Amino acid sequence: MTTTLEHATTMAQPKGGGLARHQNFATAIVAGVVLAWVGWFLGRHLFWNGSDNWSDQVTILTLLGWMLGFWIGIGAFNAPFQWLLGRDNTRADNLYYAGDKQGRMRYWKFTTDHKVVGVQYIIVTMGLLAVGGILAMAIRTELITPGTHFVNQQVYNSFIAIHGMVMILALIVAVAGPWGNFVMPIMIGARDMAFPRLNALSLWTLVSAATVLVGTLAVGGLPVGWVVLGTIANQAGPGMDFFAVAIVIFTVSTTVASVNLITTVITMRTRGMTLDRLPIFVWGTIITAALALYAFPFFFVAEANQIFDRTASTSFYVAAGGGTSWLQANLFWLMGHPEVYVILIPAVAALFEISSTMARKPVFSYRTAVGAMVVLAGLSAVVWAHHMFTAGWAPSLSGPFMVTTELISIPTGIFFLVLVGTLWRGNVWMKLPTVWMFGFIFNFIVGGVTGIYLSDVPLDEQLHGTMFVTAHFHYIFVGSVLFGAIAALAYWFPKVSGRYLNEFLGRLSFWLVFSGVQLTFGAMFLSGLKGMPRRDASYSFAFEHTNFISTIGAYMIMSGMLVLLGAVITSWRSGEPSGPNPWRANTLEWQVPTPPPLENFDVLPVITEDPYHFDETTVNA
Amino acid sequence: MSIDSPSRDQTHSPGDGPHDSPEKVDGRERLGVWLFIGADVVTVGALLFTYLYLRAVDTAGHWMNMWGYQGSLHTYQYWANAAANGTLKNPTLIHVGTVSAGLQWLVAAITVLSALLLWVGEKGLRANKNAKSFSATAVVAALLPVVGIIFTAVLLKDLPQIFVSINDSNTMSYTTYDSAMMALLSSTIFHLVILTFLGLGLSIRAARGVVSGDRWYQVRLVRMFWVWVALSSVVATLITTTITSTH
């Protein structure tokens, strides 16, 4: 039988070359800069006010020029315009765009192969975590003792805002990006994603958005907090324009990615891969994608309104013109709370997968677990107003929103039961992914229980705006999601690289990060309970000791993350070879060679049972 | 996971053709379009929520009224100079009124008409396999949104700006009604530009024989989106022409 790769090697390569075949990240940067300059030039001439070279209109046009140029330079518009002209790609073209025989260069191009996109997502996620982490260290260093040290309040606020949004972006893609792309299509027995070009588009659009977001630092920052409340955002400098454009671009990326993920799972499962045989990570991915598809358009509109206010004299959020920041707050939180579960669910679903493999047992109560994810996604759409309990929006709705928020504890409680039930009396294999999973379980209990406190209106009245809230959501985002993401990295790393992630360095990293999380955010709970407000560069001596401990803990987290980075780099280059199925797992990604070939399967498999049946040989492995 | 032997249709077929049958690709792309429409429903819904929310709260009675001086960008310098010279009289309460309902309905009608035209063209293509005829229909369907864009631009241009001078800060401003309308009209232009692109693409592809009586599934995909845009245009126009005043 002829195999896919044999086709690739015997097939004639596309003739000619042309500009399209030379497009890559470098040409994207060049085209982006050129069109950004064109945008600036046009803006300055159209909206010249006699003094300001960087008015909001000019800034927005410059950034739109950057985005457009980046898309053109990377090759995102090639296919739509070929379609317009009635020239569809041949199979040879498609193989070229999939990165066939292009070596490492394919990682710098608009490559459509889902595995390349998955690796690109890993790199982008690590880059975003690095930027957000550096800002976190700057924040904690500033807070090590009372008084202001090396940044003033304005700069501190900018650091908070950009740290917050960069980390949110990083965590949104941390699991669903790399693994939803690299392993998910193989898990369902597909040769690629449903829309490979949209897959590449989502990745490079994210890169374009991330560049703009980080660029905020170069134009005076964003001293208005990460929720960019409408009234004060109107008074912010050009950094606010950067932020708004970054979010608008990012929304395009998530929408495209979500459509692609859902369509792939619904329409490209191999024969026999019924819905109740789907690996549970796949369920987590599509539930997340559906939630993102619902939530992020609100963010798009929230920031588009902001752009109108700043460039076209509208009054959406301008009180003097009849606007109201409640509108911005509602639109933001209509996205903001579902976004928490867009971040959380893929990490939890990956841990379900890991727990089953490492305990050599089926996922405990598989259908309940899927149901809990669906219910959580649904509930997340009706809890947004709890972020405005103390602000005073619709006090009569506080009761209903308190109830819906507290209901969230039911599906999240089920997550614990499923994880613990899967591990219960299993022959648990204590490898690196398992270690990080146990870290998740502990931290998620702390983050989850403190979340129940905050859902309670009377208690929220006391704790809102204090470091208690900051500690709570960092236990969720860092202590839980990041731990889940690292567990997923350790689990699927052998499939990407053919090598184990270094066990010693990985465990050293775990203990540093785990201990650091307890110190940093545990002490932060105490600061909050004593009444320390958020978003202040300086604080009373009453909070001195707990802040010192928090900063020491933060340095431990940073050390642990650097050790992990070292582990990834050294393991990728010279780690212990793992073979195609090091965990003896049953899901399809482990049944193909490592690294998986282009188009994954010579012959599409036919599935006859779910992936969680472990026989005696694998149980005792 | 137990894996059985593959059946013949799941082996990799040799040659340059796609792996999946056109029917499978069609089904996949249809779902993709439905999902994009779903995201667009939320986006348009958020814009209408914005419109209705601002109308409902009517902060300081500014939904359609604003204290200031009737003007436009062209007269900004006139008012700014007056403010600087201290000759500015007391601001008056300006009532902006609604934008032309007739023109809004005309744009909606044009969008609906273009959708119907594409639908008829699709039926003709599938029935009599005449790609040339479809190409002509598609180009007309694509040009109708251009007319819609022009009328929408006129609506945008006619949104009245008001000169406001608050605490020595001079600016032109829109009422919240005009603000919400600006966002909705901009969304309309964005959608109509996409329709023009898609319609022209179908027309060119039909002329080149890529779209034909036997290969029409992309026409259906475009028509699905087109119908949604027409529907959203009607719904938005219905809301913005009937739910206007705050009383």
Side-chain angles (χ1 to χ4, degrees), chain A residues 349-371:
Chain A
L351 291 175
F352 289 158
E353 207 68 62
I354 294 168
S355 63
S356 169
T357 301
M358 295 305 183
R360 330 306 292 169
K361 283 178 64 191
V363 174
F364 176 72
S365 196
Y366 172 95
R367 290 186 179 192
T368 310
V370 172

Side-chain angles (χ1 to χ4, degrees), chain A residues 11-273:
Chain A
M11 188 173 295
Q13 287 301 297
K15 289 181 180 175
L19 190 62
R21 303 209 182 277
H22 298 287
Q23 286 171 307
N24 54 44
F25 186 49
T27 57
I29 299 275
V30 171
V33 170
V34 169
L35 282 200
W37 183 84
V38 171
W40 176 83
F41 184 79
L42 283 176
R44 193 170 171 279
H45 280 76
L46 289 172
F47 302 106
W48 174 246
N49 60 11
S51 62
D52 191 359
N53 279 332
W54 286 102
S55 65
D56 293 316
Q57 292 95 333
V58 176
T59 307
I60 295 290
L61 274 179
T62 304
L63 294 174
L64 292 179
W66 157 260
M67 180 185 74
L68 197 63
F70 192 90
W71 274 343
I72 293 170
I74 199 70
F77 286 146
N78 295 354
F81 279 95
Q82 279 179 321
W83 179 87
L84 178 75
L85 300 173
R87 294 178 186 150
D88 290 338
N89 283 344
T90 63
R91 175 147 168 73
D93 289 326
N94 287 336
L95 278 172
Y96 178 84
Y97 287 120
D100 187 35
K101 294 198 285 292
Q102 291 175 53
R104 291 183 182 174
M105 192 59 202
R106 69 190 192 277
Y107 293 105
W108 297 97
K109 304 185 78 163
F110 194 81
T111 304
T112 57
D113 178 21
H114 70 96
K115 297 176 290 296
V116 174
V117 176
V119 173
Q120 289 169 329
Y121 264 110
I122 294 176
I123 305 297
V124 173
T125 305
M126 288 171 76
L128 286 170
L129 287 175
V131 173
I134 289 168
L135 290 170
M137 295 317 300
I139 292 164
R140 280 312 327 167
T141 304
E142 172 60 38
L143 293 176
I144 190 166
T145 55
T148 51
H149 303 299
F150 66 97
V151 294
N152 60 31
Q153 183 66 47
Q154 287 286 94
V155 175
Y156 180 83
N157 283 348
S158 280
F159 283 3
I160 292 279
I162 300 167
H163 158 75
M165 195 42 77
V166 165
M167 284 303 204
I168 293 282
L169 257 61
L171 292 176
I172 285 172
V173 300
V175 179
W179 312 118
N181 280 291
F182 195 102
V183 297
M184 192 277 287
I186 313 177
M187 279 179 143
I188 61 168
R191 296 192 190 282
D192 204 326
M193 299 287 277
F195 308 115
R197 285 194 293 267
L198 290 187
N199 205 18
L201 177 66
S202 70
L203 178 280
W204 288 109
T205 303
L206 171 66
V207 173
S208 161
T211 317
V212 175
L213 184 61
V214 175
T216 307
L217 285 167
V219 292
L222 185 67
V224 292
W226 79 277
V227 298
V228 291
L229 197 63
T231 42
I232 51 175
N234 270 317
Q235 302 161 36
M240 188 58 225
D241 298 320
F242 274 62
F243 177 89
V245 170
I247 296 307
V248 166
I249 305 172
F250 178 69
T251 307
V252 174
S253 170
T254 50
T255 302
V256 165
S258 299
V259 167
N260 209 357
L261 287 167
I262 297 171
T263 308
T264 302
V265 175
I266 301 291
T267 64
M268 296 186 69
R269 284 169 287 129
T270 192
R271 182 173 292 184
M273 183 65 80

Side-chain angles (χ1 to χ4, degrees), chain B residues 4 7 17 23 32 89 95 101 107 111 116 120 131 140 142 165 173 176 180 182 199 210 213 219 223:
Chain B
D4 211 345
S7 58
E23 291 76 21
K89 297 173 189 170
H95 179 74
V107 172
T111 315
L116 285 173
V120 170
V140 175
S165 180
S173 185
T176 44
M182 184 184 286
V210 185
V219 180
R223 186 254 298 159

Side-chain angles (χ1 to χ4, degrees), chain A residues 1-4 7 11 80-88 90-92 187 191 193-195 198 255-256 258-260 262-264 266-271 273 277 279 293-295 297-298 300-301 305 308-309 312-316 318-324 326-327 330-331 334 393 586-588 591 599 601-613, chain B residues 1-20 24-25 27-33 35-36 38-40 42-47 49-51 53-54 57-63 65-66 73 161 164 166 171-176 178-184 186-187 196-202 204-205 208 210 215 218 222:
Chain A
M1 185 177 296
T2 315
T3 66
T4 311
H7 282 161
M11 188 173 295
F81 279 95
Q82 279 179 321
W83 179 87
L84 178 75
L85 300 173
R87 294 178 186 150
D88 290 338
T90 63
R91 175 147 168 73
M187 279 179 143
R191 296 192 190 282
M193 299 287 277
F195 308 115
L198 290 187
T255 302
V256 165
S258 299
V259 167
N260 209 357
I262 297 171
T263 308
T264 302
I266 301 291
T267 64
M268 296 186 69
R269 284 169 287 129
T270 192
R271 182 173 292 184
M273 183 65 80
R277 288 177 184 160
L293 212 53
Y294 157 78
F298 290 109
F300 178 91
V301 172
N305 289 348
F308 275 118
D309 271 1
S313 305
T314 54
S315 306
F316 290 104
V318 184
T324 169
W326 288 127
L327 174 64
N330 275 285
L331 289 171
L334 274 163
W393 181 77
N586 291 339
T587 41
L588 280 177
Q591 318 309 320
E599 300 190 341
F601 303 95
D602 285 347
V603 174
L604 288 181
V606 176
I607 307 304
T608 56
E609 63 181 20
D610 74 54
Y612 303 116
H613 286 88
Chain B
M1 180 171 286
S2 180
I3 303 169
D4 211 345
S5 303
S7 58
R8 183 176 170 76
D9 66 330
Q10 291 189 305
T11 59
H12 195 281
S13 59
D16 284 353
H19 298 306
D20 295 321
K24 273 190 177 177
V25 175
R28 185 180 307 160
E29 296 192 347
R30 254 190 301 165
L31 178 60
V33 171
L35 291 169
F36 273 120
D40 206 30
V42 183
T43 308
V44 174
L47 288 171
F49 169 78
T50 296
Y51 176 93
Y53 189 92
L54 289 172
V57 295
D58 187 24
T59 309
H62 279 340
W63 171 241
N65 303 295
M66 188 178 282
L73 277 176
Q161 279 200 315
V164 289
I166 303 167
T171 185
M172 305 300 290
S173 185
Y174 290 99
T175 64
T176 44
D178 286 331
S179 302
M181 285 306 298
M182 184 184 286
L184 281 164
S186 302
S187 162
T196 305
F197 180 90
L198 294 173
L200 285 177
L202 286 182
I204 294 169
R205 292 171 74 81
R208 291 176 64 102
V210 185
R215 287 187 291 175
Q218 285 192 340
V222 170

Side-chain angles (χ1 to χ4, degrees), chain B residues 94-175:
Chain B
I94 297 169
H95 179 74
V96 298
T98 56
V99 301
S100 165
L103 214 47
Q104 285 185 71
W105 277 114
L106 185 59
V107 172
I110 287 170
T111 315
V112 171
L113 182 64
S114 65
L116 285 173
L117 205 56
L118 190 76
W119 205 335
V120 170
E122 179 195 338
K123 279 183 176 292
L125 179 70
R126 291 165 67 171
N128 59 31
K129 318 284 186 194
N130 189 340
K132 295 288 178 199
S133 164
F134 173 76
S135 179
T137 310
V139 82
V140 175
L143 290 177
L144 279 173
V146 176
V147 179
I149 290 169
I150 293 168
F151 285 133
T152 311
V154 169
L155 284 168
L156 269 173
K157 181 180 150 297
D158 287 347
L159 291 177
Q161 279 200 315
I162 296 167
F163 179 85
V164 289
S165 180
I166 303 167
N167 299 332
D168 295 331
S169 174
N170 304 318
T171 185
M172 305 300 290
S173 185
Y174 290 99
T175 64

Side-chain angles (χ1 to χ4, degrees), chain A residues 269-547:
Chain A
R269 284 169 287 129
T270 192
R271 182 173 292 184
M273 183 65 80
T274 53
L275 290 180
D276 57 357
R277 288 177 184 160
L278 270 185
I280 200 156
F281 176 68
V282 179
W283 271 112
T285 305
I286 58 167
I287 291 166
T288 299
L291 189 54
L293 212 53
Y294 157 78
F296 283 97
F298 290 109
F299 207 7
F300 178 91
V301 172
E303 296 314 309
N305 289 348
Q306 187 70 256
I307 291 173
F308 275 118
D309 271 1
R310 294 174 67 86
T311 60
S313 305
T314 54
S315 306
F316 290 104
Y317 310 139
V318 184
T324 169
S325 61
W326 288 127
L327 174 64
Q328 188 270 347
N330 275 285
L331 289 171
F332 182 89
W333 289 117
L334 274 163
M335 174 286 304
H337 207 82
E339 160 256 335
V340 173
Y341 302 109
V342 168
I343 290 172
L344 179 68
I345 289 175
V348 171
L351 291 175
F352 289 158
E353 207 68 62
I354 294 168
S355 63
S356 169
T357 301
M358 295 305 183
R360 330 306 292 169
K361 283 178 64 191
V363 174
F364 176 72
S365 196
Y366 172 95
R367 290 186 179 192
T368 310
V370 172
M373 289 192 280
V374 172
V375 169
L376 184 62
L379 274 176
S380 74
V382 289
V383 299
W384 81 94
H386 72 228
H387 293 277
M388 298 181 280
F389 278 161
T390 57
W393 181 77
S396 59
L397 292 177
S398 291
F401 275 105
M402 181 176 79
V403 172
T404 54
T405 306
E406 288 179 347
L407 285 175
I408 289 274
S409 59
I410 295 174
T412 48
I414 289 173
F415 290 169
F416 282 111
L417 289 178
V418 173
L419 271 178
V420 174
T422 306
L423 296 170
W424 185 256
R425 294 186 175 176
N427 187 9
V428 180
W429 198 0
M430 281 300 290
K431 300 295 282 185
L432 197 54
T434 325
V435 173
W436 286 94
M437 178 176 62
F438 279 112
F440 167 94
I441 291 173
F442 179 85
N443 292 334
F444 195 45
I445 289 172
V446 178
V449 168
T450 50
I452 298 174
Y453 294 160
L454 292 171
S455 69
D456 185 72
V457 177
L459 202 47
D460 190 59
E461 293 281 352
Q462 303 300 316
L463 296 172
H464 194 88
T466 71
M467 290 301 248
F468 188 93
V469 179
T470 314
H472 154 69
F473 69 71
H474 277 86
Y475 257 100
I476 296 295
F477 286 155
V478 181
S480 308
V481 176
L482 188 63
F483 274 57
I486 296 173
L489 175 71
Y491 181 69
W492 280 304
F493 187 82
K495 183 48 63 181
V496 179
S497 67
R499 300 174 187 279
Y500 288 105
L501 191 58
N502 187 292
E503 190 80 15
F504 171 75
L505 290 177
R507 284 178 187 247
L508 177 63
S509 165
F510 169 80
W511 284 112
L512 282 168
V513 177
F514 183 79
S515 310
V517 163
Q518 312 316 320
L519 286 179
T520 307
F521 305 116
M524 206 177 277
F525 274 129
L526 297 178
S527 301
L529 283 172
K530 286 197 286 184
M532 180 179 169
R534 299 165 65 185
R535 306 184 181 107
D536 267 342
S538 184
Y539 52 85
S540 156
F541 279 93
F543 313 118
E544 184 179 13
H545 299 305
T546 48
N547 271 281

